[in-house]
Amino acid sequence: MTLRTFLSLLRGGQFRVLRSLSKAARDSHRVAFLAAGLTSGVLRRLAAGPVALDALAADLRIDPAMRDGLQAWLQAGVALGEVERRPEGYVARGTLARLLTDPNHDAAAAFVEELASLHHRLLTKAPARLRTGRPFSLSEQNARLIARSSQLAEPFICETLARVVPRHGPVKLLEIGCGAAAYLLFAAPWNPELTAVGLDLQAEAAALATENLARWHLGPRVAIAVGDIRDRTPDPSFDLATLHQNIYYFPVAERPGLLRHVRGFLKTGGRLLLTTVCQGGGSTAAVLDLWGTMTAGCGRLPDPPELVAQMGEAGFAGVTARRLVPGESFYAFVGTNPGGARP
């Protein structure tokens, strides 16, 4: 580049645009590459040690005519710093590429896949869907993937569960929207006398929960069912009901009625624990808010004072709201069923 060209780009503002675009492109390419590597299983293969190109092509059953395409894809990973090419083959190199293949970081791996699929689709397709009046639907999302990625909040939600689940004594828990059943896994050992029912709208998520419970040997104490809590007849036999990260699966106007219905499942003195991302967070919260507003049958993220008022309207007493992560819009709401007729 000549000095004249450089000065022209600088004066016209193009240099600043190109530099910003370069960074944005690299971030976008990294997420896409990592997501594809995780979904395909290639990154896990590379994390185990250097793999020769031909051996990897054979493992993936790639047509020899597409061998150059595999090499080009791997070289994109090299350019992004996530893969290293050694004489003996390719190996995972980047911090994320190595960490995300660790089963202990499965929730983070699922979130990367979610960024490249659901988040990307929401942001790119929303304007066209708005013009045609066609909302998204729950069937368009990968329920298993969402159940896995939602476990990123597990440490904060489990900390809150420990505040409301006693260590000893019989406790009957109703978890509405149980996902992968991670919080049931925490609650059951926390109190060995606890029994629970986990309910989920989506059969895929409920199947994952059932698989996990079998692996964790919790089947006799925990039952999983598929369905909508609104379709179930209230049974005031539970000590605690929980809704974790799913209040936005219900339209805003319907939330007081939903919460009132949930109160019907609680004994007098029973409590509701509701955790959710609220309005006012960063870009991830903004995309979640977009999902809620653009998905049929769902609703936007709540505002904390609004949700406190809705729980009060539903008949809960002593409602509290507590921020779970400093500086983030992630809250826990707790209310008590005072007994008496549901208003």
Side-chain angles (χ1 to χ4, degrees):
M1 182 191 304
T2 65
L3 179 60
R4 180 179 179 179
T5 300
F6 173 77
L7 292 174
S8 175
L9 291 172
L10 194 63
R11 283 193 296 267
Q14 292 100 320
F15 186 77
R16 184 179 180 183
V17 170
L18 290 173
R19 187 171 59 181
S20 296
L21 276 178
S22 177
K23 182 182 183 305
R26 188 174 180 84
D27 289 343
S28 176
H29 294 160
R30 173 174 280 110
V31 168
F33 179 84
L34 289 169
L38 290 164
T39 303
S40 65
V42 173
L43 275 185
R44 290 179 180 82
R45 184 76 173 83
L46 298 183
V51 185
L53 178 63
D54 289 338
L56 186 59
D59 285 351
L60 298 174
R61 299 181 180 179
I62 289 176
D63 187 315
M66 299 298 293
R67 180 184 180 278
D68 288 350
L70 174 61
Q71 184 173 23
W73 183 80
L74 290 167
Q75 285 300 131
V78 172
L80 290 165
E82 297 298 341
V83 174
E84 181 180 357
R85 185 178 184 180
R86 298 178 183 175
E88 61 271 35
Y90 291 91
V91 63
R93 174 194 175 193
T95 300
L96 272 178
R98 288 181 286 107
L99 287 176
L100 294 176
T101 57
D102 183 340
N104 292 322
H105 299 301
D106 180 68
F111 183 67
V112 169
E113 294 180 57
E114 184 184 320
L115 286 174
S117 55
L118 177 61
H119 290 218
H120 179 267
R121 185 166 65 252
L122 283 167
L123 290 168
T124 57
K125 302 296 184 184
R129 296 274 186 129
L130 287 166
R131 283 195 298 270
T132 59
R134 189 163 66 95
F136 295 97
S137 67
L138 288 176
S139 63
E140 293 179 81
Q141 73 176 30
N142 185 327
R144 279 180 172 255
L145 184 65
I146 301 302
R148 288 169 53 213
S149 68
S150 66
Q151 292 178 56
L152 276 174
E154 186 176 329
F156 312 107
I157 293 177
C158 287
E159 177 185 291
T160 302
L161 269 173
R163 291 171 174 260
V164 297
V165 176
R167 293 304 303 266
H168 306 286
V171 174
K172 192 174 179 183
L173 166 65
L174 172 63
E175 181 163 345
I176 303 161
C178 62
Y183 307 120
L184 295 173
L185 172 63
F186 171 83
W190 181 259
N191 183 331
E193 297 179 71
L194 178 140
T195 58
V197 174
L199 183 68
D200 205 282
L201 275 170
Q202 296 176 283
E204 257 193 297
L208 179 59
T210 301
E211 291 169 15
N212 288 338
L213 290 175
R215 189 166 64 251
W216 302 328
H217 307 293
L218 290 175
R221 295 172 55 196
V222 181
I224 301 296
V226 179
D228 190 325
I229 187 64
R230 294 169 293 188
D231 296 333
R232 295 173 76 95
T233 302
D235 166 24
S237 64
F238 291 90
D239 301 287
L240 176 66
T242 60
L243 290 103
H244 297 306
Q245 304 184 87
N246 55 13
I247 192 65
Y248 36 81
Y249 278 71
F250 304 93
V252 176
E254 296 179 16
R255 290 172 190 172
L258 164 73
L259 296 169
R260 188 179 302 113
H261 183 67
V262 170
R263 189 165 76 83
F265 289 85
L266 293 170
K267 300 174 182 176
T268 297
R271 291 192 286 179
L272 169 66
L273 167 63
L274 190 158
T275 59
T276 183
V277 177
C278 292
Q279 296 282 338
S283 63
T284 299
V287 172
L288 183 57
D289 190 49
L290 172 65
W291 175 87
T293 58
M294 286 287 296
T295 300
C298 299
R300 61 167 171 77
L301 294 180
D303 180 67
E306 170 191 56
L307 192 50
V308 168
Q310 289 178 329
M311 288 179 67
E313 182 182 342
F316 285 97
V319 179
T320 61
R322 185 171 66 90
R323 191 188 296 267
L324 297 183
V325 184
E328 298 292 335
S329 58
F330 192 36
Y331 284 81
F333 301 81
V334 178
T336 301
N337 176 24
R342 286 180 293 148

mmCIF file of all heavy atoms in Angstrom, residues 277-286 301 327-329:
data_model
loop_
_atom_site.group_PDB
_atom_site.id
_atom_site.type_symbol
_atom_site.label_atom_id
_atom_site.label_comp_id
_atom_site.label_asym_id
_atom_site.label_seq_id
_atom_site.Cartn_x
_atom_site.Cartn_y
_atom_site.Cartn_z
ATOM 1 N N VAL A 277 -33.356 -14.114 33.514
ATOM 2 C CA VAL A 277 -32.713 -12.909 32.993
ATOM 3 C C VAL A 277 -33.809 -11.865 32.836
ATOM 4 O O VAL A 277 -34.928 -12.175 32.422
ATOM 5 C CB VAL A 277 -32.042 -13.193 31.633
ATOM 6 C CG1 VAL A 277 -31.448 -11.917 31.054
ATOM 7 C CG2 VAL A 277 -30.971 -14.265 31.779
ATOM 8 N N CYS A 278 -33.494 -10.645 33.190
ATOM 9 C CA CYS A 278 -34.473 -9.550 33.104
ATOM 10 C C CYS A 278 -34.016 -8.493 32.099
ATOM 11 O O CYS A 278 -32.917 -8.576 31.540
ATOM 12 C CB CYS A 278 -34.681 -8.917 34.485
ATOM 13 S SG CYS A 278 -35.513 -10.014 35.670
ATOM 14 N N GLN A 279 -34.861 -7.500 31.902
ATOM 15 C CA GLN A 279 -34.531 -6.386 31.023
ATOM 16 C C GLN A 279 -33.266 -5.678 31.525
ATOM 17 O O GLN A 279 -32.998 -5.622 32.712
ATOM 18 C CB GLN A 279 -35.686 -5.384 31.001
ATOM 19 C CG GLN A 279 -36.980 -5.915 30.410
ATOM 20 C CD GLN A 279 -36.959 -5.947 28.899
ATOM 21 O OE1 GLN A 279 -36.192 -5.227 28.252
ATOM 22 N NE2 GLN A 279 -37.806 -6.772 28.318
ATOM 23 N N GLY A 280 -32.512 -5.128 30.587
ATOM 24 C CA GLY A 280 -31.390 -4.278 30.976
ATOM 25 C C GLY A 280 -30.037 -4.940 30.969
ATOM 26 O O GLY A 280 -29.065 -4.365 31.455
ATOM 27 N N GLY A 281 -29.916 -6.155 30.424
ATOM 28 C CA GLY A 281 -28.631 -6.840 30.388
ATOM 29 C C GLY A 281 -27.838 -6.493 29.140
ATOM 30 O O GLY A 281 -28.122 -5.538 28.424
ATOM 31 N N GLY A 282 -26.831 -7.336 28.852
ATOM 32 C CA GLY A 282 -25.985 -7.115 27.685
ATOM 33 C C GLY A 282 -26.581 -7.697 26.421
ATOM 34 O O GLY A 282 -27.788 -7.925 26.314
ATOM 35 N N SER A 283 -25.713 -7.996 25.447
ATOM 36 C CA SER A 283 -26.196 -8.443 24.144
ATOM 37 C C SER A 283 -26.880 -9.804 24.207
ATOM 38 O O SER A 283 -27.859 -10.044 23.491
ATOM 39 C CB SER A 283 -25.044 -8.484 23.136
ATOM 40 O OG SER A 283 -24.062 -9.429 23.533
ATOM 41 N N THR A 284 -26.392 -10.702 25.071
ATOM 42 C CA THR A 284 -27.025 -12.016 25.173
ATOM 43 C C THR A 284 -28.444 -11.880 25.709
ATOM 44 O O THR A 284 -29.379 -12.531 25.211
ATOM 45 C CB THR A 284 -26.206 -12.948 26.083
ATOM 46 O OG1 THR A 284 -24.891 -13.114 25.521
ATOM 47 C CG2 THR A 284 -26.858 -14.317 26.206
ATOM 48 N N ALA A 285 -28.633 -11.021 26.712
ATOM 49 C CA ALA A 285 -29.977 -10.779 27.234
ATOM 50 C C ALA A 285 -30.857 -10.135 26.169
ATOM 51 O O ALA A 285 -32.047 -10.454 26.056
ATOM 52 C CB ALA A 285 -29.903 -9.880 28.469
ATOM 53 N N ALA A 286 -30.278 -9.255 25.366
ATOM 54 C CA ALA A 286 -31.050 -8.586 24.313
ATOM 55 C C ALA A 286 -31.524 -9.595 23.262
ATOM 56 O O ALA A 286 -32.658 -9.512 22.764
ATOM 57 C CB ALA A 286 -30.220 -7.495 23.658
ATOM 58 N N LEU A 301 -38.614 -10.399 28.014
ATOM 59 C CA LEU A 301 -38.032 -10.547 29.343
ATOM 60 C C LEU A 301 -38.765 -9.642 30.328
ATOM 61 O O LEU A 301 -39.200 -8.539 29.967
ATOM 62 C CB LEU A 301 -36.545 -10.178 29.322
ATOM 63 C CG LEU A 301 -35.607 -11.073 28.519
ATOM 64 C CD1 LEU A 301 -34.176 -10.558 28.626
ATOM 65 C CD2 LEU A 301 -35.684 -12.517 28.970
ATOM 66 N N GLY A 327 -23.729 -6.896 38.494
ATOM 67 C CA GLY A 327 -23.614 -6.204 37.214
ATOM 68 C C GLY A 327 -24.425 -6.813 36.088
ATOM 69 O O GLY A 327 -24.469 -6.254 34.986
ATOM 70 N N GLU A 328 -25.067 -7.965 36.328
ATOM 71 C CA GLU A 328 -25.866 -8.611 35.296
ATOM 72 C C GLU A 328 -27.348 -8.545 35.665
ATOM 73 O O GLU A 328 -27.709 -8.367 36.827
ATOM 74 C CB GLU A 328 -25.451 -10.080 35.112
ATOM 75 C CG GLU A 328 -24.012 -10.266 34.655
ATOM 76 C CD GLU A 328 -23.783 -9.768 33.239
ATOM 77 O OE1 GLU A 328 -24.755 -9.719 32.454
ATOM 78 O OE2 GLU A 328 -22.625 -9.418 32.921
ATOM 79 N N SER A 329 -28.209 -8.738 34.664
ATOM 80 C CA SER A 329 -29.651 -8.626 34.899
ATOM 81 C C SER A 329 -30.274 -10.000 35.174
ATOM 82 O O SER A 329 -31.355 -10.313 34.680
ATOM 83 C CB SER A 329 -30.341 -7.969 33.706
ATOM 84 O OG SER A 329 -30.108 -8.714 32.520
#
